[in-house]
Amino acid sequence: QQNVQQSPESLIVPEGARTSLNCTFSDSASQYFWWYRQHSGKAPKALMSIFSNGEKEEGRFTIHLNKASLHFSLHIRDSQPSDSALYLCAGDTNAYKVIFGKGTHLHVLP
Amino acid sequence: GALVYQYPRRTICKSGTSMRMECQAVGFQATSVAWYRQSPQKTFELIALSTVNSAIKYEQNFTQEKFPISHPNLSFSSMTVLNAYLEDRGLYLCGARPGAGAEQFFGPGTRLTVL
């Protein structure tokens, strides 16, 4: 059974800061890795995904995947108050099943 | 675009009673539908996964007897919470995918309060 651990549980950063969120999987069974973002009172929405080792950048957001160390991270450059949300990392274990971590609550102070 | 609707958005039921919630995918064919429960204590728990042409698979601690699910076509799914108790409180989210490895689209959830 895939287990996903996220850290930290909560994070408060000033506007403009670089923010790093971390995720560790219990095994290498996942093929697809996702970061989802959920603003308060809204549905979770996919932010970025990656399917192979390495790095992927989209605007202020960068994700890193290292399957050997089972580590997956999200980095936000120049954090904005609008980035305040619950960030969830997830992995597909068998093409359809998506397991989520408990999430990191990010608060960006203006 | 791909949208997922859920209803009701909020529901209150008495302890020991049951309530049904629905999930509708619009703009794509939901070849898989997953039901999750989001609560302050355990955050994001997968309840069950329903995939076209496969039996519905329940996660540990969740059973068909407690959370029966129907997925009759590629746009609709429903789940019932039978004999609801305080520990069943939370936000029930439906996530639908158009295919393996594709983005999972979520509905806004049904918030269940048990009195």
Side-chain angles (χ1 to χ4, degrees):
Chain A
Q1 171 80 345
Q2 178 71 279
N3 185 263
V4 181
Q5 298 294 324
Q6 278 191 250
S7 63
E9 287 188 18
S10 182
L11 188 59
I12 301 174
V13 301
E15 184 175 354
R18 175 179 167 85
T19 301
S20 294
L21 308 178
N22 299 292
C23 187
T24 303
F25 292 83
S26 60
D27 65 58
S28 58
S30 294
Q31 294 180 296
Y32 307 93
F33 298 83
W34 300 82
W35 280 99
Y36 280 74
R37 181 170 65 183
Q38 184 181 25
H39 285 107
S40 182
K42 304 291 185 181
K45 185 168 172 57
L47 186 61
M48 291 179 70
S49 62
I50 193 167
F51 309 134
S52 58
N53 277 333
E55 175 181 304
K56 182 176 180 180
E57 181 178 338
E58 289 183 5
R60 297 184 293 110
F61 299 87
T62 303
I63 55 177
H64 290 268
L65 175 64
N66 184 327
K67 287 189 177 183
S69 63
L70 304 174
H71 187 251
F72 183 40
S73 60
L74 170 67
H75 305 275
I76 307 173
R77 176 172 49 84
D78 186 26
S79 299
Q80 299 297 307
S82 57
D83 295 331
S84 297
L86 176 68
Y87 288 79
L88 297 151
C89 72
D92 277 42
T93 54
N94 62 354
Y96 281 108
K97 183 175 176 179
V98 183
I99 299 295
F100 286 83
K102 290 189 174 184
T104 294
H105 288 272
L106 174 64
H107 302 275
V108 181
L109 302 177
Chain B
L3 293 171
V4 176
Y5 295 99
Q6 284 188 255
Y7 30 88
R9 292 291 303 273
R10 289 182 173 81
T11 186
I12 301 173
C13 66
K14 289 184 177 180
S15 183
T17 63
S18 303
M19 70 81 53
R20 180 171 178 263
M21 55 190 76
E22 299 180 345
C23 173
Q24 180 99 33
V26 176
F28 68 103
Q29 293 186 325
T31 55
S32 75
V33 173
W35 286 92
Y36 295 87
R37 180 170 66 196
Q38 189 174 31
S39 62
Q41 299 79 20
K42 295 186 178 181
T43 317
F44 231 87
E45 295 179 281
L46 176 63
I47 297 171
L49 174 66
S50 174
T51 307
V52 161
N53 298 326
S54 295
I56 298 172
K57 295 180 182 177
Y58 288 81
E59 291 295 293
Q60 194 173 14
N61 300 324
F62 296 98
T63 64
Q64 182 181 8
E65 290 70 32
K66 172 72 174 177
F67 299 95
I69 289 170
S70 172
H71 187 188
N73 55 53
L74 293 175
S75 64
F76 181 82
S77 177
S78 67
M79 183 176 76
T80 301
V81 181
L82 295 174
N83 300 317
Y85 288 100
L86 288 177
E87 58 265 29
D88 296 320
R89 291 172 301 176
L91 181 67
Y92 287 81
L93 289 156
C94 162
R97 306 179 83 176
E103 177 181 346
Q104 187 162 328
F105 298 100
F106 283 92
T110 294
R111 184 165 297 281
L112 173 63
T113 300
V114 182
L115 301 178

